[in-house]
Amino acid sequence: MAIERKDVEQIIRAVGGKDNIEVATHCVTRLRFALVDEDKVDKNLLESSDLVKGHFSSQGQFQVVIGPGLVDKVYDEMIAITGGSRSSKDEVKNAASKKQNPLQRAIKTLADIFIPILPAIVTSGLLLGINNILTGPDIFFAGRSLVEEYPQWTDIASIINLIANTAFTFLPALIGWSAVMRFGGSPLLGIVLGLILVHPDLLSAYGYAEASTKGTIPVWNLFGWEIEKIGYQGQVLPVLVSAYLLARIERFLDKRVMDSIKLLVVAPIALLVTGFLAFTIIGPVTFAIANAITSGLVHVFNTLPALGGLLYGGFYALLVVTGMHHTFLAVDVQLIGSEGGTFLWPMLALSNIAQGAAALAMMFILKDQKTKGLAATSSVSAFLGVTEPAIFGVNIRYKYPFIFGMIGSAIGGILLTLKSVLASSIGVGGIPGFLSIFPNQWGVFFIGMGIVLVVPFGLTLIYGKIAGRGQTEAAGETANREIVVEKVETVDPVATKPSAEHVASGNTAVITDNAVDVLEIHAPLTGQAVTLDKVPDPAFAEKQMGQGIAIEPQDGRVTAPFDAKVAHVIKSKHAVILEHATGVQILIHVGINTVSLKGSAFTSHVNIGDEVKAGQLLLEFDREAIRAAGLPLITPIIIPDGQEMIVGVEEEAPGAVTANRSVILKVRLSS
């Protein structure tokens, strides 16, 4: 498709003109801008462009969705018109981050650090919950634990406790790895730094209070300067600040030391300097600050528990929407390390359940089967501790279930704080979250669980029925439903024509004999097929790019869904565009924001112009590396808009799929 210069000029005018563009780049689907002032964007002018499929702002970047195969041409023309220089995605990302206020940047930094280590924290929390069941009194026997009643289980419980506690005992090593990587240093040095701060020769932070009372805290004597010889188990601030310093020193030396001696100079000096400063200045100061913050928070909740429960319990779901909930992971960890338990995590678990209950109620209100299915599956996800599908896919979309979920969560939060319910670990939310709660407080927690199940569900159901939202939404959804072709039987990837004439009725198109061919598209990955609205990216979720489906991959291989020509391979190797002999193009985009990995987790097996057969390996990707970077693996498979030969796209029922065997999409072509 040729690009008209005037159309690109319209996009430039719409984003505020060339003087409003600080830097710009593009990925496989969209233009990415760091704008001087986003308020200057003329959204009406932008939306009137035939080239623009959609637009949104995220983390300081203004993104304009163009589509694969066109976006690079639009970008080239834009650079030619504005006379600007080509920018990398990192340059745009860095420029965009400067537009964020300090709080937004701090929240994003904490999220970038803690998200990659969440799997370890969740696993440890679950295992600690199992240990609680084995060792907690009054669960199965009055005044006694299971291991006291059956001593043969004692060592089993001990081993489970050791495995479970490892991630928390060596948490500074995990944080050090993730933080140093985030700050641009060597992750391996971050691990070593974290282990230094919890070395066995140091007094454990958990024994600090007792040693302080007895006056037995060991010290180093540095020429008369006595430094307390303590570790920083369960502490967050000391390792975060130390990791930042380590990365800065390493990068400083790396630029100035000759390659021939870098191995002997950079890492040893960086670790030695950081280690000394960590024990002499950073550790003592941040340890005191962290304890002061913790004591202040505890004091507030002890003094005004009902208010604290109302605010945190009620507004936690809003924190999830803004991304600020990641900030409180550090607070939870600090509370567990300093106080022996956190009063925040129990409220988080109830908030998960409340949003799930509201989403479940929507299943009984909505009429469209696809949306009902989304409400059902997302509610189950929320009950298990992952609320994003319920919040973004259902509750915020209809508003009132989100509000009723917050109301139920606020009531539950008040109960928990009034009764001082604590969690001994974090990572397990939703209904399984009871495993994190101290067993002697399970009764109160279960009452709170009952509240957040009944109140949001009941209020949402009653309001939805009274307001008639189900009927209204059903009509709206019917109006937007895809064209459906009935009784089309196919054998080959390009099927023969329908055998009968279909007369239009409602939303069913008139399809006559010899009018359409049907191209069956098979799954290019093995995994769980889901609808596009589950994709955490507006360009895909809102179908700005085009229609299609997404797959949660179970392995790291992408194969050709039909015989095709490779139309485009993205430079960072995370996406590929194939073209069928009929002219139909398909985009396979592995993960979300995986362009930021710069190809490090991907291996491409094809080049532009290659002819491939159905089932042929296109690319491989490292699932663990993508997860470690905190990026979603969900893979959209898109039929881009703008293909005139396409009459409609029909997605098969989401479910388990097997690569190159299950049909996931059917594309109906004009004759």
Side-chain angles (χ1 to χ4, degrees):
M1 176 179 174
I3 300 298
E4 296 287 341
R5 185 182 179 91
K6 61 181 178 63
D7 293 332
V8 180
E9 290 174 340
Q10 179 179 338
I11 293 175
I12 296 170
R13 289 197 308 275
V15 298
K18 67 177 184 179
D19 292 335
N20 197 41
I21 301 173
E22 187 171 346
V23 284
T25 188
H26 74 91
C27 59
V28 65
T29 60
R30 67 202 75 172
L31 299 171
R32 295 172 179 258
F33 296 97
L35 300 176
V36 176
D37 184 0
E38 282 195 15
D39 290 338
K40 293 183 178 180
V41 175
D42 186 339
K43 294 181 179 179
N44 291 329
L45 179 61
L46 193 61
E47 291 166 0
S48 67
S49 171
D50 293 334
L51 293 174
V52 176
K53 305 295 191 300
H55 59 82
F56 59 94
S57 181
S58 176
Q59 297 181 345
Q61 291 185 35
F62 189 77
Q63 303 184 28
V64 179
V65 181
I66 303 295
L70 289 180
V71 66
D72 50 347
K73 298 177 183 177
V74 173
Y75 181 73
D76 290 343
E77 187 66 25
M78 184 183 71
I79 293 298
I81 293 172
T82 62
S85 59
R86 294 178 179 273
S87 303
S88 68
K89 296 174 182 67
D90 283 342
E91 288 172 330
V92 172
K93 184 178 179 181
N94 292 335
S97 67
K98 296 176 183 177
K99 307 297 180 184
Q100 297 176 310
N101 61 48
L103 178 60
Q104 290 173 318
R105 289 199 294 270
I107 290 170
K108 183 180 183 303
T109 298
L110 282 176
D112 290 344
I113 291 171
F114 277 93
I115 288 176
I117 66 175
L118 271 180
I121 294 176
V122 171
T123 301
S124 292
L126 181 61
L127 292 176
L128 282 172
I130 295 173
N131 181 68
N132 286 344
I133 294 175
L134 295 173
T135 60
D138 297 316
I139 300 177
F140 302 103
F141 307 98
R144 293 172 63 81
S145 67
L146 187 67
V147 295
E148 288 175 328
E149 194 70 20
Y150 299 101
Q152 61 268 33
W153 284 88
T154 302
D155 288 340
I156 296 292
S158 177
I159 293 174
I160 292 174
N161 186 56
L162 183 147
I163 296 171
N165 265 312
T166 297
F168 289 105
T169 301
F170 297 100
L171 185 63
L174 298 178
I175 296 175
W177 163 75
S178 187
V180 171
M181 181 168 60
R182 168 63 180 80
F183 296 135
S186 169
L188 182 59
L189 293 185
I191 295 174
V192 176
L193 172 65
L195 293 175
I196 288 172
L197 296 178
V198 293
H199 195 283
D201 285 353
L202 303 170
L203 170 68
S204 172
Y206 300 124
Y208 179 80
E210 182 181 355
S212 179
T213 302
K214 296 179 179 178
T216 57
I217 299 176
V219 297
W220 283 300
N221 191 314
L222 305 180
F223 303 103
W225 182 18
E226 291 190 343
I227 304 297
E228 291 183 338
K229 190 178 178 182
I230 61 172
Y232 294 97
Q233 290 85 354
Q235 300 292 310
V236 175
L237 279 180
V239 68
L240 281 178
V241 177
S242 299
Y244 175 77
L245 179 64
L246 175 64
R248 291 296 298 267
I249 294 175
E250 181 191 1
R251 288 162 57 190
F252 176 83
L253 293 174
D254 191 61
K255 292 178 181 178
R256 291 163 176 80
V257 175
M258 293 184 296
D259 290 343
S260 59
I261 59 172
K262 276 185 179 180
L263 186 63
L264 301 175
V265 174
V266 176
I269 292 179
L271 272 177
L272 191 62
V273 172
T274 305
F276 262 96
L277 291 175
F279 287 118
T280 57
I281 299 175
I282 296 174
V285 171
T286 55
F287 186 69
I289 292 173
N291 285 336
I293 294 173
T294 302
S295 299
L297 192 62
V298 171
H299 176 72
V300 170
F301 272 82
N302 285 340
T303 306
L304 300 168
L307 180 60
L310 173 69
L311 294 177
Y312 191 78
F315 289 102
Y316 181 79
L318 274 180
L319 296 177
V320 174
V321 173
T322 62
M324 290 180 65
H325 63 301
H326 296 301
T327 306
F328 288 90
L329 284 173
V331 180
D332 278 309
V333 171
Q334 184 67 39
L335 284 168
I336 293 171
S338 303
E339 303 294 322
T342 172
F343 45 79
L344 298 179
W345 191 264
M347 288 185 280
L348 173 152
L350 291 194
S351 179
N352 295 157
I353 300 170
Q355 292 298 323
L360 182 63
M362 292 301 292
M363 185 184 73
F364 297 96
I365 296 171
L366 300 168
K367 302 301 181 183
D368 179 72
Q369 291 302 312
K370 183 184 295 185
T371 316
K372 285 171 71 74
L374 173 61
T377 56
S378 64
S379 67
V380 172
S381 174
F383 290 150
L384 296 177
V386 181
T387 55
E388 280 82 357
I391 288 177
F392 294 105
V394 179
N395 294 353
I396 280 186
R397 180 177 174 185
Y398 301 101
K399 297 183 179 65
Y400 65 94
F402 182 70
I403 294 172
F404 291 142
M406 291 173 61
I407 291 173
S409 180
I411 298 172
I414 292 172
L415 173 68
L416 296 189
T417 51
L418 286 175
K419 295 297 183 180
S420 302
V421 175
L422 299 176
S424 61
S425 61
I426 64 174
V428 183
I431 293 175
F434 80 90
L435 294 170
S436 299
I437 309 301
F438 285 104
N440 63 335
Q441 297 173 326
W442 280 2
V444 177
F445 185 78
F446 287 143
I447 294 173
M449 190 183 295
I451 291 172
V452 296
L453 281 168
V454 173
V455 172
F457 182 87
L459 291 177
T460 301
L461 188 63
I462 293 170
Y463 180 83
K465 293 293 185 181
I466 292 176
R469 295 302 178 94
Q471 289 78 5
T472 301
E473 181 53 36
E477 287 168 351
T478 300
N480 294 322
R481 194 163 53 204
E482 302 291 348
I483 297 172
V484 176
V485 180
E486 299 176 353
K487 298 179 181 178
V488 177
E489 297 181 357
T490 60
V491 179
D492 299 321
V494 179
T496 56
K497 288 77 179 171
S499 58
E501 183 177 273
H502 299 264
V503 181
S505 175
N507 287 325
T508 303
V510 176
I511 302 174
T512 58
D513 189 27
N514 298 326
V516 236
D517 286 338
V518 177
L519 170 63
E520 289 188 346
I521 297 177
H522 296 254
L525 303 95
T526 299
Q528 182 77 19
V530 297
T531 52
L532 283 180
D533 52 21
K534 298 285 184 66
V535 180
D537 185 303
F540 295 115
E542 298 174 8
K543 299 185 178 180
Q544 296 176 4
M545 289 294 309
Q547 300 178 64
I549 202 165
I551 293 178
E552 290 279 7
Q554 293 177 356
D555 60 25
R557 293 166 54 86
V558 177
T559 56
F562 46 63
D563 293 351
K565 179 180 179 181
V566 179
H568 194 48
V569 178
I570 308 307
K571 185 178 180 181
S572 49
K573 297 178 284 189
H574 68 287
V576 62
I577 299 174
L578 302 179
E579 184 172 326
H580 188 263
T582 59
V584 173
Q585 289 192 337
I586 183 172
L587 164 68
I588 305 171
H589 190 289
V590 179
I592 302 301
N593 286 328
T594 42
V595 63
S596 62
L597 297 178
K598 302 178 182 179
S600 62
F602 299 89
T603 302
S604 178
H605 294 282
V606 293
N607 297 305
I608 296 174
D610 286 355
E611 300 284 346
V612 295
K613 295 293 184 181
Q616 182 175 331
L617 183 63
L618 302 176
L619 64 89
E620 293 178 284
F621 55 95
D622 187 336
R623 297 167 69 227
E624 296 307 317
I626 296 172
R627 283 200 184 101
L631 301 174
L633 277 165
I634 190 168
T635 299
I637 295 98
I638 302 294
I639 308 297
D641 286 338
Q643 302 184 57
E644 295 179 359
M645 79 291 294
I646 294 177
V647 174
V649 178
E650 177 184 355
E651 66 187 51
E652 298 296 287
V657 297
T658 304
N660 291 299
R661 294 188 180 181
S662 299
V663 176
I664 55 172
L665 296 171
K666 290 181 180 178
V667 181
R668 298 180 299 286
L669 312 176
S670 60
S671 56

